[in-house]
């Protein structure tokens, strides 16, 4: 029976719960457990006096709560040497007693057991109506024990631990809710449950004021250890079974076996590991995970998709767990002391699950798409409102209606912008707004169609939007975009349909392609092809209109000018008609985009015209030419504009100056032409009774416009009576 048939049969036999309801049930259960944990903390005997370890081996009063009923005789800094048992009157010494210490931090079973027993002994003195403290001066201070511990007295670590546990639990639960039949999703969910379990029970005894009864403390500590073991063993098995199965043994059997060995050894305190009885097994599990990861890496050497998923999986697990080991477990094992508080270690460890969320959006870990993150984010938004609402009512005593309104506003201002930022960071989508992207796409495709480079511009557009690690042209006909190699690449047809572009790994290799990318690329392709068709229709319509104008000019205007030329009464009108006919021909040539002329022919024409005009004015012409023309050609537009720039320059020289000579220099390097015209004899003041201003005429503006029309630059300078005009024009139309 095929896998699909097995899946279908399973669905028929068992009704599946949708991801969101599954997350809701799990979150409600977690909230209820957190509420029970809070009640357990609030139900502990409370003096409102915080003791910390002192320098002389005895604890000192660090803080007295404003809600405490302690007498004024108790002051901060006061050294407490013992507690007096309320029934027997026995003095219970507090020498070398460190309040709120973590039981598994002791390196040996003997030290662990001794601390638990001493906690129980200290807790026995915290019974009845009041606790009696004995200070180093021999004074006894009676502090009432309150049954209703205020909520504000709950330490911040309690809330932080449960927050971190909730994050891990909801992420892992969301993965399982989306893929309940997959073994990796189940293992991740188990690890999240273990993380939540560890932080939950740890938070209860972290919330104690001074000490808990031995049985209660041992029970909470044991459940904390079981949760930690469940988390670590599940993560180890995740590396063993994902993405490739390294063993044929059933995962459930291996899981139960490892947990039994792990926990039975701790419960019955069998084998005591050297260096540290509780934390060395944690390090050994980390090393075992490293070996499993290396095996997975070796097996996936021919599987780029598995390699991509493994990279993110390894980063999430080994960085988070490695940091946890480095800042907490290893320092305790080696020195008996910590570098960072336990809450920092738990916070770092919780980033492991946030890393999985990144992996789902970028590399489709556990075969999940981006919709999973949206579902989880929306669920967390609702959960944030509920938790914040309860917080406001419990801590600040707000009315339910007011608290709900404040919670909704706070979530809207804080959570949703944070969620949007996280989504952009995870998904790696372009920062450009859709409006700007659309405008840019229209401009890019339109310019590409006009220049005959539509497919090249399409490639640039895809390159910018998806930032693929590589993009190649494939000779394949496609009707639309499609994903290849499970998201490692995506093929997108060219606009012209002559082949396709294959893009490897989106966002410079940071994520895989998903169905959302196919949908997005399909939309881009459809719009771009419509833009191309519209632009082609515009070009065709313009060409048809240009052809019509050329026919009219040739048949109508040209014929009439020829008639004028033949019937001209004298040479003056004949020259006028001949010039008009020449201008008409140039205009018609300019309308033809495909018309070109040889560069050396153009240089000869420009030189002949300049010589003719200077000869008519009786002014010598100095013509210098340094252009490697060869077989180069240029568009008729270049030919006409440059000729008219030269003509206008000579006109200015004759109109605004009395030059002794005119110098024209044409230079070029194959990429552009430089035109320079210099004449002397400029008259700035009165000439023939009139005011002359060489800068006031339209000629300079016309020359500048013609140069800029070709993509070039124009400048005019006046030094005393010498005028210097220069234009640089790129030869984009020149071909060799």
């Amino acid at each position: 029976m095929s896998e699909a048939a097995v899946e279908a049969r399973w669905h028929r036999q068992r009704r599946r719960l949708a991801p969101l309801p599954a997350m809701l049930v799990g979150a409600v259960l977690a909230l209820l457990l957190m509420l029970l944990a809070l009640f357990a903390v609030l139900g502990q005997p409370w003096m409102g006096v915080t003791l910390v370890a002192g320098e002389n081996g005895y604890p000192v009063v660090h803080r007295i709560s404003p809600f405490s009923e302690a007498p004024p005789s108790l002051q901060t800094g006061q050294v407490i040497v013992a507690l007096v048992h309320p029934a027997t009157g026995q003095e219970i010494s507090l020498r070398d007693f460190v309040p709120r210490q973590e039981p598994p931090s002791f390196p040996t079973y003997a030290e662990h057991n001794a601390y638990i027993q001493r906690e129980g002994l200290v807790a026995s003195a915290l019974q009845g109506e009041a606790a009696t403290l004995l200070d180093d001066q021999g004074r006894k201070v009676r502090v009432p024990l309150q049954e209703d511990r205020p909520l504000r007295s709950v330490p911040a670590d309690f809330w932080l631990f449960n927050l971190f546990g909730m994050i891990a639990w909801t992420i892992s639960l969301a993965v399982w809710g989306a893929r309940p039949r997959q073994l990796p999703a189940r293992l991740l969910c188990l690890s999240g449950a273990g993380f939540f379990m560890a932080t939950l029970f740890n938070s209860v005894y972290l919330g104690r004021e001074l000490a808990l009864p031995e049985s209660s403390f041992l029970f909470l500590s044991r459940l904390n250890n079981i949760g930690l073991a469940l988390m670590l063993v599940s993560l180890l098995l995740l590396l063993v079974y994902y993405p490739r199965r390294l063993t044929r043994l059933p995962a459930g059997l291996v899981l139960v076996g490892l947990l039994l060995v792990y926990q039975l050894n701790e419960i019955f305190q069998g084998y005591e590991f050297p260096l540290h009885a509780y934390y060395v097994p944690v390090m050994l599990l980390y090393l075992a995970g490293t070996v499993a990861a290396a095996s997975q890496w070796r097996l996936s050497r021919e599987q780029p998709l598995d390699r991509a998923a493994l990279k993110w999986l390894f980063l999430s697990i080994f960085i988070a767990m490695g940091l946890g080991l480095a800042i907490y477990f290893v320092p305790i094992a080696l020195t008996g002391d910590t570098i960072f508080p336990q809450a920092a270690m738990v916070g770092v460890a919780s980033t492991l699950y946030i890393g999985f969320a990144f992996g789902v959006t970028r590399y489709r870990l556990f075969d999940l798409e981006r919709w999973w993150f949206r579902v989880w984010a929306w669920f967390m938004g609702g959960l944030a409102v509920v938790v914040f609402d309860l917080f406001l009512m419990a801590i600040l005593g707000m009315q339910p209606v007011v608290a709900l309104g404040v919670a909704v506003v706070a979530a809207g201002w804080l959570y949703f912008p944070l969620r949007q930022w996280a989504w952009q960071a995870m998904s790696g989508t372009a920062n450009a707004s859709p409006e700007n992207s659309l405008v840019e796409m229209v401009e890019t495709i339109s310019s590409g169609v006009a220049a005959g480079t539509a497919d090249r511009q399409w490639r640039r557009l895809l390159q910018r939007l998806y930032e693929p690690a590589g993009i190649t042209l494939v000779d394949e006909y496609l009707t639309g975009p499609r994903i290849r190699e499970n998201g490692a690449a995506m093929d997108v047809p060219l606009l012209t349909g002559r082949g396709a572009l294959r893009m490897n790994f989106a966002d410079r290799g940071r994520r895989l392609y998903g169905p959302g990318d196919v949908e997005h690329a399909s939309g881009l392709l459809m719009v771009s092809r419509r833009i191309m068709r519209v632009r082609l229709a515009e070009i065709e319509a313009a060409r048809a209109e240009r052809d019509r104008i050329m026919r009219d000019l040739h048949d109508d205007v040209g014929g009439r000018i020829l008639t004028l030329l033949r019937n001209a009464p004298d040479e003056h009108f004949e020259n006028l008609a001949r010039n008009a006919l020449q201008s008409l021909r140039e205009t018609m040539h300019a309308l033809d985009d495909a018309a070109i002329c040889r560069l050396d022919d153009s240089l000869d024409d420009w030189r002949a015209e300049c010589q003719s005009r200077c000869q008519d004015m009786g002014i010598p012409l100095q013509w210098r030419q340094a252009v490697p023309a060869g077989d180069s050609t240029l568009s008729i537009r270049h030919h006409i504009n440059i000729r008219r720039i030269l003509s206008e320059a000579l006109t200015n020289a004759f109109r605004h100056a009395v030059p002794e000579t005119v110098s024209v220099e044409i230079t070029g390097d194959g990429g552009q032409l430089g035109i320079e015209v210099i004449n002397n004899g400029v008259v700035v003041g009165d000439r023939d009774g009139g005011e002359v201003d060489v800068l006031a005429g339209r000629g300079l503006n016309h020359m500048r416009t013609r140069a800029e029309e070709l993509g070039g630059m124009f400048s005019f300078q006046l030094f005393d009576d010498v005028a210097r005009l220069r234009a640089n024009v790129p030869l984009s139309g020149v071909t060799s």
Side-chain angles (χ1 to χ4, degrees):
M1 185 178 292
S2 66
E3 187 176 348
V6 172
E7 183 81 10
R9 182 180 177 182
W10 183 85
H11 280 295
R12 287 195 302 270
Q13 293 175 348
R14 186 174 181 179
R15 191 172 181 180
R16 178 177 168 177
L17 194 61
L20 202 55
M23 294 169 62
L24 184 62
V25 172
V28 170
L29 178 62
L31 287 174
L32 287 176
L33 290 174
M34 289 168 57
L35 198 60
L36 291 176
L38 180 61
F39 285 143
V41 172
L42 295 177
Q44 298 170 8
W46 186 72
M47 299 180 292
V49 178
T50 303
L51 299 180
V52 297
E55 296 179 354
N56 58 357
Y58 291 101
V60 298
V61 178
H62 174 68
R63 179 174 175 272
I64 301 175
S65 170
F67 302 100
S68 174
E69 297 176 359
S73 57
L74 186 67
Q75 299 292 324
T76 56
Q78 198 168 344
V79 179
I80 306 300
V81 298
L83 291 174
V84 180
H85 196 283
T88 63
Q90 176 191 359
E91 293 183 359
I92 302 172
S93 173
L94 296 180
R95 181 172 181 77
D96 297 330
F97 179 75
V98 179
R100 293 176 300 281
Q101 199 163 6
E102 176 75 6
S105 63
F106 293 97
T108 63
Y109 292 137
E111 291 177 86
H112 171 271
N113 296 339
Y115 183 79
I116 293 286
Q117 290 172 3
R118 193 168 189 190
E119 274 264 344
L121 190 61
V122 172
S124 66
L126 301 174
Q127 297 177 3
E129 297 180 352
T132 303
L133 310 181
L134 181 64
D135 67 7
D136 57 347
Q137 304 297 320
R139 294 171 299 189
K140 293 182 179 179
V141 181
R142 193 169 184 274
V143 182
L145 291 172
Q146 300 180 34
E147 294 181 356
D148 299 328
R149 179 178 180 178
L151 192 59
R152 297 181 189 179
S153 68
V154 177
D157 282 352
F158 174 86
W159 304 108
L160 284 176
F161 270 55
N162 285 289
L163 172 65
F164 297 145
M166 197 67 177
I167 291 174
W169 169 239
T170 54
I171 291 177
S172 59
L173 181 65
V175 171
W176 173 81
R179 294 288 184 266
R181 291 284 293 169
Q182 289 188 1
L183 177 61
R186 292 179 176 179
L187 291 173
L188 181 66
C189 187
L190 278 176
S191 74
F195 192 98
F196 176 77
M197 180 178 173
T199 54
L200 179 75
F201 291 103
N202 200 339
S203 69
V204 175
Y205 64 76
L206 271 179
R208 69 190 187 278
E209 185 180 39
L210 188 59
L212 288 176
E214 181 178 352
S215 57
S216 300
F217 201 3
L218 192 59
F219 173 75
L220 295 171
S221 177
R222 186 67 61 204
L223 290 178
N224 170 37
N225 289 351
I226 291 176
L228 178 63
L230 179 61
M231 169 200 169
L232 296 175
V233 172
S234 300
L235 287 178
L236 174 62
L237 292 185
L238 180 62
L239 292 174
V240 172
Y241 287 92
Y242 183 78
R244 302 277 172 176
R245 190 165 185 153
L246 300 180
T247 177
R248 292 187 176 276
L249 292 175
L253 183 62
V254 177
L255 176 70
V256 172
L258 284 174
L259 279 177
L260 279 177
V261 172
Y262 191 128
Q263 284 303 296
L264 287 177
N265 184 61
E266 280 194 2
I267 292 172
F268 294 103
Q269 299 185 348
Y271 178 75
E272 186 171 273
F273 288 90
L275 199 61
H276 202 288
Y278 292 95
Y279 292 161
V280 167
V282 175
M283 301 176 195
L284 292 178
L285 285 174
Y286 186 83
L287 291 177
T290 305
V291 174
S295 301
Q296 289 283 7
W297 187 261
R298 182 175 54 81
L299 290 177
S300 64
R301 59 183 177 275
E302 302 296 336
Q303 303 292 330
L305 181 63
D306 289 350
R307 276 284 171 99
L310 275 175
K311 287 179 183 176
W312 200 263
L313 198 67
F314 294 168
L315 281 175
S316 301
I317 292 179
F318 291 114
I319 288 182
M321 296 303 299
L323 278 176
L325 286 174
I327 68 175
Y328 188 78
F329 293 106
V330 172
I332 286 183
L334 296 179
T335 67
D337 203 356
T338 61
I339 299 177
F340 292 93
Q342 189 183 11
M345 182 273 293
V346 176
V348 169
S350 69
T351 60
L352 180 153
Y353 297 91
I354 298 175
F356 285 147
F358 272 87
V360 168
T361 57
R362 288 184 178 273
Y363 294 107
R364 303 214 317 269
L365 288 180
F366 313 108
D367 292 332
L368 290 174
E369 301 289 347
R370 296 185 187 186
W371 58 263
W372 171 87
F373 179 77
R374 292 194 182 99
V375 171
W376 178 79
W378 279 111
F379 174 76
M380 285 300 292
L383 189 62
V385 172
V386 173
V387 172
F388 198 50
D389 180 45
L390 294 175
F391 173 80
L392 293 176
M393 288 190 296
I395 302 297
L396 303 181
M398 287 187 178
Q399 294 296 320
V401 176
V402 178
L404 179 61
V406 174
V408 171
V409 172
W413 285 350
L414 299 178
Y415 172 75
F416 289 107
L418 184 64
R419 181 188 69 91
Q420 187 65 22
W421 171 83
W423 169 248
Q424 289 184 351
M426 289 181 179
S427 60
T429 52
N431 293 326
S433 65
E435 294 79 4
N436 293 337
S437 298
L438 184 61
V439 170
E440 181 184 356
M441 182 181 68
V442 172
E443 293 177 347
T444 301
I445 300 302
S446 296
S447 61
V449 171
T453 58
D455 284 337
R456 191 184 307 168
Q457 298 298 334
W458 174 240
R459 175 174 178 154
R460 290 177 181 173
L461 182 67
L462 294 177
Q463 180 90 37
R464 194 193 68 78
L465 291 177
Y466 292 97
E467 297 185 344
I471 184 168
T472 56
L473 180 65
V474 293
D475 187 15
E476 188 173 357
Y477 174 77
L478 295 177
T479 57
R482 71 178 183 185
I483 290 179
R484 298 177 59 86
E485 301 175 14
N486 294 323
M490 182 170 69
D491 290 348
V492 181
L494 292 172
L495 292 182
T496 56
R498 296 191 289 266
L501 295 171
R502 177 164 299 167
M503 300 186 293
N504 297 313
F505 295 110
D507 291 340
R508 301 174 186 176
R510 293 197 294 267
R511 70 176 180 88
L512 301 176
Y513 294 99
D517 294 309
V518 173
E519 184 179 353
H520 182 247
S522 299
L524 287 176
L525 180 65
M526 181 185 68
V527 174
S528 298
R529 282 182 167 169
R530 288 188 179 181
I531 294 171
M532 185 177 70
R533 286 195 292 269
V534 170
R535 184 65 179 136
L536 286 174
E538 290 178 352
I539 294 174
E540 179 61 25
R543 189 190 62 79
E545 180 65 13
R546 193 165 52 244
D547 290 345
R548 187 190 65 77
I549 294 173
M550 290 172 64
R551 284 196 304 273
D552 290 344
L553 290 174
H554 180 271
D555 298 343
D556 190 6
V557 180
R560 293 176 186 272
I561 294 176
L562 277 176
T563 301
L564 288 174
L565 180 62
R566 289 170 183 168
N567 298 321
D570 51 34
E571 187 178 352
H572 174 69
F573 285 100
E574 184 180 339
N575 288 336
L576 289 177
R578 199 180 303 280
N579 291 337
L581 186 61
Q582 177 65 23
S583 297
L584 177 63
R585 285 172 178 168
E586 290 179 349
T587 303
M588 292 173 61
H589 286 158
L591 289 174
D592 186 1
D593 291 336
I596 58 174
C597 57
R598 290 173 55 84
L599 179 57
D600 51 0
D601 291 342
S602 295
L603 289 169
D604 291 342
D605 289 344
W606 299 335
R607 180 174 185 174
E609 182 173 343
C610 290
Q611 283 180 334
S612 174
R613 294 199 57 189
C614 288
Q615 188 174 1
D616 292 343
M617 298 299 294
I619 300 173
L621 171 67
Q622 294 181 3
W623 178 274
R624 288 189 291 273
Q625 175 180 319
V627 181
D631 296 330
S632 299
T633 60
L634 72 167
S635 70
I636 195 68
R637 172 61 62 188
H638 278 77
H639 174 85
I640 294 172
N641 278 21
I642 294 174
R643 188 182 70 78
R644 291 181 177 174
I645 289 173
L646 290 171
S647 177
E648 191 65 34
L650 294 179
T651 300
N652 275 359
F654 301 151
R655 180 178 299 169
H656 302 300
V658 185
E660 297 175 353
T661 182
V662 174
S663 172
V664 176
E665 182 177 5
I666 308 293
T667 57
D669 57 1
Q672 67 176 3
L673 276 183
I675 303 105
E676 186 176 72
V677 180
I678 301 175
N679 67 273
N680 61 355
V682 176
V683 180
V684 179
D686 289 342
R687 195 182 77 170
D688 301 332
E691 185 73 18
V692 175
D693 185 356
V694 295
L695 302 177
R698 296 180 180 177
L700 291 179
N701 289 333
H702 290 172
M703 286 186 282
R704 187 186 309 279
T705 301
R706 290 187 184 280
E708 291 176 351
E709 184 181 331
L710 300 177
M713 300 177 63
F714 176 84
S715 64
F716 177 79
Q717 295 172 311
L718 190 61
F719 304 99
D720 297 331
D721 66 337
V722 176
R724 179 176 179 271
L725 175 152
R726 182 163 185 83
N728 290 310
V729 178
L731 295 178
S732 57
V734 175
T735 58
S736 299

